[in-house]
Amino acid sequence: MAIDPTQPYDDGNIFAKILRGEIPSNRIYEDEWAVAFEDINPQAAVHTLVIPRGAYVSWDDFSARASDAEIAGFVRAVGAVARAKGLVEPGYRLLANVGGHGGQEVPHLHVHLFGGEPLGRMIAR
Ligand code: 5GP
């Protein structure tokens, strides 16, 4: 079920647990600002999730409250992960779902990084 992105941050969400190392993940990148791991239910040949270390419910929350350093660090981390996975030359797609219409299910900001094959049009109709 989609989350309500206006609710306060829930420290018990699954990505908070992954950040704390309480549940396993296939972690492929981490730095001061972000952690990246493979999606458990991949929707493309490459489907990686990048999350900030800070407690932010969604892109809306992050863009409103995060410091300039957190925002810069996170954006740079997403780019670093894409480069590390060799996605730049063939191309890739970023996606951040927000709230009900976005279909967001996990209430910790995450950017989906899709690639490894042609991805088609932006949104299936
Ligand atoms: P959303 O719909 O919130 O944008 O996407 C949530 C994503 O998290 C989904 O693609 C889902 O497969 C992924 N996911 C949910 N639970 C886990 C988990 O425990 N581990 C990993 N690696 N991915 C998860």
Side-chain angles (χ1 to χ4, degrees):
M1 200 175 98
I3 64 129
D4 176 354
T6 65
Q7 288 301 300
Y9 186 80
D10 169 14
D11 213 29
N13 78 76
I14 197 91
F15 292 170
K17 291 178 181 173
I18 284 176
L19 267 177
R20 292 193 296 265
E22 292 168 8
I23 63 167
S25 67
N26 185 354
R27 200 177 279 216
I28 58 154
Y29 177 91
E30 58 185 309
D31 64 21
E32 182 181 356
W33 306 108
V35 170
F37 51 92
E38 304 298 0
D39 197 288
I40 202 168
N41 183 23
Q43 302 298 307
V46 172
H47 186 174
T48 302
L49 300 170
V50 190
I51 66 174
R53 287 194 185 273
Y56 298 99
V57 173
S58 68
W59 184 270
D60 178 70
D61 189 23
F62 186 68
S63 61
R65 291 197 303 112
S67 69
D68 290 356
E70 286 177 295
I71 291 171
F74 181 65
V75 171
R76 289 195 188 282
V78 173
V81 171
R83 286 189 292 279
K85 293 191 74 84
L87 296 176
V88 176
E89 188 275 322
Y92 62 97
R93 179 172 296 158
L94 301 178
L95 176 71
N97 294 318
V98 181
H101 282 189
Q104 182 180 4
E105 292 184 342
V106 179
H108 182 114
L109 169 62
H110 46 286
V111 167
H112 298 258
L113 207 163
F114 299 107
E117 62 184 329
L119 296 167
R121 297 289 300 160
M122 283 191 288
I123 292 177
R125 288 285 184 189

